[in-house]
Amino acid sequence: MAPRSALDTNFDVDYVITYRFTDVSQTEARDGFKKLMQALSRVGLATEVRNGDSCCLLVFVKVGSEKRFAQEVYRSRTKDWLYGIRAAEPEKETRKSLNLQSLTEAEQFRIIHHLITSPQEEGGAGITPTQSPWKNVESIFPLHDHRFNKEWIKKWSTMTLLRAEDLDEIRDRFGEKVAFYFAFTQSYFAFLMFPAAFGFASWVLLGSFSPIYAVVNGLWCVIFVEYWKRQEVDLGVRWGVKGVSEIQVKRKEFQHEKEVVDPVTGETVQIFPATKRLSRQLLQLPFALLACLALGTLIATCFGIEIFLSEVYSGPFQSVLVFLPTGILTTFVPTLTAILTSIANRLNDFENWETSESYDSALTQKIFVLNFITSYLPIILTAFVYVPFGSLIVPYLDVFQLTARPFAENEKQLQTPQTTFEINPSRLQKQVIYFTVTAQIVNFAMETIVPYIKRRGFAKYQEMKSDRAAKKGGAAARVAIDDLPEEAEFLKRVRKEAELDVYDVSTDLREMVVQYGYLALFSVVWPLTPVSFIINNWIELRSDAVKICVEMQRPTPLRADSIGPWLDSLGFLTWLGSISTAALVYLFSNDAHGPGGTPVTLKGWVLLLTIFFSEHIYLLVRWAVRLAISKIESPGTVKQRRERFMVRKRYLQDALGQDVIDAPTNSTEKITRESLEEDARQSSLHNMRPQDHFWLRQRSWEESAKVGMDMIERMVPVQTKKEQ
């Protein structure tokens, strides 16, 4: 029998834990590893150990106790029911519960990850990589299903639009958090079809800065954001995670100041005063100011240098020197952004958030500030500084003569022409085209192609290094010496996966939100912007799938019921787009040339009035769209109502023991003289109250009906006389 391919099986491995002991003594490494094995065994997980690379062990983990795992599944689903995520209580018999609702691969991995990482008081092993006392635990990751990955990429390469079933497949494999990203990108891609078609028509017929295009694009942005809010609800119901954000996961790094007794539950809870956190949050203001000053100064300086070199300097090497600002930005912006991101992380840690969700939300807001400055500030400077005030500012750009003085032949080549200078009216459009086309291509290459080349190059280097060490009799090639033949290919693949980067879905979400910002803020400058984005996003969906399957470790399945704080960023960009678009249309209302560098043609009160009315129209339209969408019953709301109805019906059936209340039975007892005398005799023997006599005058519904009909018959002749 031929041996199975390493891609065909994962040997039933659920998770791999890398244990690295480079910087510790042998005794500490042994004790720490023994403690790791005991912790995993205590929560019902089976383990196997193999060699990793130098000073590293690979711990393979799978479910060891099916009974313990089934109990954990039941506990997880019961918790969901208590928090209102599940409509019905799960079956108390765990095996029956699993049969009624099968376990997806994502749910299985999520629960096992919970067993490994959750605190001991919550029933887990409490293993947190790189943190005390698990500093030697480098990473915890599930293995890729390469057969599925290959089929998934092949199928997606032939599809134009993703179906709901395709998103379900992503959710079942990688969890809801990743699935929500793909669902958002797919919805965004589908929605772009209209603005792409309308933008192309506007570019042909209306040109740039068209008020008609501005109105239609603003309306589209509002509809898309409000539609996506409804879509999040539908997907949350479809995937059974609506409201899952209410289940907060406490951070291990949270430091409480005092413990109090919860007046509702009676439990002792750890709290950090909200007023103290608020005082720490106020540090976001100087952080935002610092980011604006640092990044803004750098970008504005390069902006001035670029204008000087391209529109003032007329000496040798002018065509080459114009790329100097780009080189400066490429070198210093990533460095400065990394420094500010590090400050943002430290500030976020200092704010001492209690839960992971609140921590991630606060960090996202800080990172969004940095992305906003680096992504949009160059265009904002061109549109609202260079175009209106160019003729006033350019004469003062002589301070940048230093950049070209070594190459100038005389002083005249460095001086601003006083009489013939005119701003470049096409500069703004070229800049928008760069950010919406060229920058998208560069980002794709940096995100997909460059990591692939680096990974292949590193693998080749490691292979050459091992071959040289083996020829010299060194120990570098001893890693795989003890591998069994039937495991060799599998272990080789696992070691490669252990070296891959961890996938962060927030990075991809940030990229989509920033792209949306260009569309909402500046697409009126170049109406073909949505055409560029729809092409880019079709490729982006496939390249992200390839990135997850090939370039990154398989992500740990995490649950979510939305795209998180990025939804707020979409709303903010839509609001800001209503202002910037109106301002751009006003500035370039004179045949799309703008003020020509002299603000004398601008009227400040008209600009402010334009912005004021545009913003209030946006608020009115958003309210109307939100109201209209709320009137439309979506599949998610129908499913939610159906589930709640079935739950109520089941509980009523269990409580009443029947489907409906029994209908009244016919009474066969006849009223006779003897029965009346017997009733009178019984009432005389018993001390009966007046209300008892009241309810004994008519024994059944038939008797009540007969008495009532007799009354009607007595009344009819009287009514007839009145009618006559």
Side-chain angles (χ1 to χ4, degrees), residues 296 299-301 303 376-388 431:
I299 293 173
T301 301
F303 177 78
Y376 308 133
L377 186 58
I379 301 179
I380 292 174
L381 288 174
T382 300
F384 300 108
V385 177
Y386 172 76
V387 171
Q431 204 165 20

Side-chain angles (χ1 to χ4, degrees), residues 49 140 190 217 234-235 246 312 443 463 537 654:
V49 183
I140 303 173
N217 184 70
D234 286 352
L235 291 173
E246 298 298 324
V312 176
N443 288 338
E463 183 180 345
N537 291 353
D654 293 343

Side-chain angles (χ1 to χ4, degrees), residues 252-288:
K252 187 177 180 180
E253 298 84 359
F254 172 70
Q255 298 177 354
H256 67 281
E257 281 201 355
K258 57 182 178 180
E259 295 182 346
V260 298
V261 177
D262 191 311
V264 177
T265 64
E267 298 177 342
T268 301
V269 294
Q270 301 173 342
I271 64 171
F272 182 79
T275 54
K276 192 168 184 178
R277 179 178 292 115
L278 180 60
S279 64
R280 295 184 177 185
Q281 284 182 271
L282 292 177
L283 293 175
Q284 293 184 27
L285 297 177
F287 168 76

Side-chain angles (χ1 to χ4, degrees), residues 349-626:
D349 293 337
F350 181 65
E351 291 170 0
N352 194 28
W353 296 100
E354 183 175 0
T355 64
S356 300
E357 289 76 11
S358 56
Y359 179 89
D360 293 340
S361 178
L363 183 60
T364 298
Q365 293 172 0
K366 297 177 181 65
I367 299 301
F368 178 72
V369 172
L370 303 180
N371 291 134
F372 185 92
I373 297 171
T374 56
S375 301
Y376 308 133
L377 186 58
I379 301 179
I380 292 174
L381 288 174
T382 300
F384 300 108
V385 177
Y386 172 76
V387 171
F389 307 102
S391 297
L392 303 179
I393 295 175
V394 168
Y396 297 96
L397 296 182
D398 292 345
V399 295
F400 299 116
Q401 291 180 2
L402 183 64
T403 58
R405 185 174 295 278
F407 308 98
E409 297 173 344
N410 53 64
E411 287 295 323
K412 187 177 180 181
Q413 294 176 345
L414 298 172
Q415 294 176 356
T416 306
Q418 300 297 324
T419 57
T420 61
F421 174 77
E422 293 181 356
I423 69 167
N424 182 3
S426 63
R427 177 183 177 83
L428 177 60
Q429 188 176 85
K430 289 179 179 179
Q431 204 165 20
V432 171
I433 292 173
Y434 167 77
F435 280 102
T436 57
V437 179
T438 310
Q440 299 291 319
I441 297 173
V442 172
N443 288 338
F444 172 77
M446 296 297 294
E447 185 180 294
T448 306
I449 300 175
V450 172
Y452 175 78
I453 296 174
K454 287 172 60 179
R455 185 171 59 86
R456 293 300 298 267
F458 180 76
K460 189 66 176 177
Y461 168 75
Q462 290 290 95
E463 183 180 345
M464 293 171 59
K465 184 178 177 181
S466 298
D467 290 342
R468 287 198 302 267
K471 291 177 181 179
K472 296 179 180 180
R478 294 181 57 85
V479 172
I481 284 181
D482 297 330
D483 292 349
L484 297 174
E486 61 271 20
E487 299 177 358
E489 287 298 319
F490 168 70
L491 293 176
K492 180 180 179 182
R493 174 167 66 85
V494 173
R495 292 178 185 121
K496 288 182 179 179
E497 289 189 27
E499 296 173 354
L500 298 177
D501 294 329
V502 177
Y503 176 68
D504 182 11
V505 70
S506 296
T507 302
D508 287 336
L509 272 171
R510 180 174 69 244
E511 183 182 339
M512 286 293 104
V513 171
V514 169
Q515 184 197 96
Y516 171 84
Y518 288 119
L519 181 62
L521 298 174
F522 309 116
S523 65
V524 71
V525 177
W526 189 53
L528 290 180
T529 297
V531 177
S532 168
F533 287 167
I534 198 172
I535 297 172
N536 175 84
N537 291 353
W538 189 91
I539 301 172
E540 184 75 20
L541 275 169
R542 279 82 189 159
S543 66
D544 285 340
V546 173
K547 180 173 66 177
I548 291 176
C549 295
V550 178
E551 303 295 336
M552 300 288 179
Q553 290 180 357
R554 179 172 181 169
T556 299
L558 299 175
R559 294 197 297 179
D561 56 4
S562 72
I563 59 174
W566 294 111
L567 184 59
D568 298 329
S569 301
L570 289 175
F572 170 77
L573 291 171
T574 305
W575 166 79
L576 190 62
S578 69
I579 296 175
S580 68
T581 301
L584 287 169
V585 170
Y586 170 71
L587 289 175
F588 292 85
S589 56
N590 57 337
D591 299 327
H593 292 301
T598 54
V600 293
T601 59
L602 299 179
K603 296 181 180 179
W605 67 271
V606 177
L607 177 61
L608 292 176
L609 199 62
T610 302
I611 293 174
F612 175 81
F613 279 113
S614 176
E615 181 192 18
H616 282 72
I617 291 172
Y618 157 77
L619 296 174
L620 181 63
V621 169
R622 187 185 66 176
W623 172 81
V625 171
R626 191 173 292 177

Side-chain angles (χ1 to χ4, degrees), residues 16 38 100 172 175 223 300 385 388 407 501 505 507 615 624 648 673:
V16 177
Q38 289 174 338
L100 289 175
D172 293 342
I223 294 175
V385 177
F407 308 98
D501 294 329
V505 70
T507 302
E615 181 192 18
R648 289 196 298 268
R673 183 186 182 93

Side-chain angles (χ1 to χ4, degrees), residues 228-348:
W228 173 248
K229 291 178 182 178
R230 170 60 69 90
Q231 188 72 0
E232 283 189 339
V233 175
D234 286 352
L235 291 173
V237 173
R238 180 184 180 92
W239 294 335
V241 291
K242 185 177 182 296
V244 76
S245 56
E246 298 298 324
I247 301 180
Q248 303 287 333
V249 180
K250 182 172 286 190
R251 297 173 60 239
K252 187 177 180 180
E253 298 84 359
F254 172 70
Q255 298 177 354
H256 67 281
E257 281 201 355
K258 57 182 178 180
E259 295 182 346
V260 298
V261 177
D262 191 311
V264 177
T265 64
E267 298 177 342
T268 301
V269 294
Q270 301 173 342
I271 64 171
F272 182 79
T275 54
K276 192 168 184 178
R277 179 178 292 115
L278 180 60
S279 64
R280 295 184 177 185
Q281 284 182 271
L282 292 177
L283 293 175
Q284 293 184 27
L285 297 177
F287 168 76
L289 183 61
L290 173 64
C292 290
L293 286 176
L295 289 171
T297 301
L298 176 62
I299 293 173
T301 301
C302 291
F303 177 78
I305 295 174
E306 183 185 358
I307 293 178
F308 175 79
L309 292 175
S310 60
E311 301 183 25
V312 176
Y313 177 67
S314 57
F317 303 106
Q318 192 261 355
S319 60
V320 177
L321 289 174
V322 292
F323 293 103
L324 177 62
T326 303
I328 296 174
L329 288 175
T330 305
T331 304
F332 290 102
V333 166
T335 304
L336 195 55
T337 302
I339 294 173
L340 291 172
T341 301
S342 177
I343 296 175
N345 280 287
R346 290 176 179 271
L347 180 58
N348 222 46

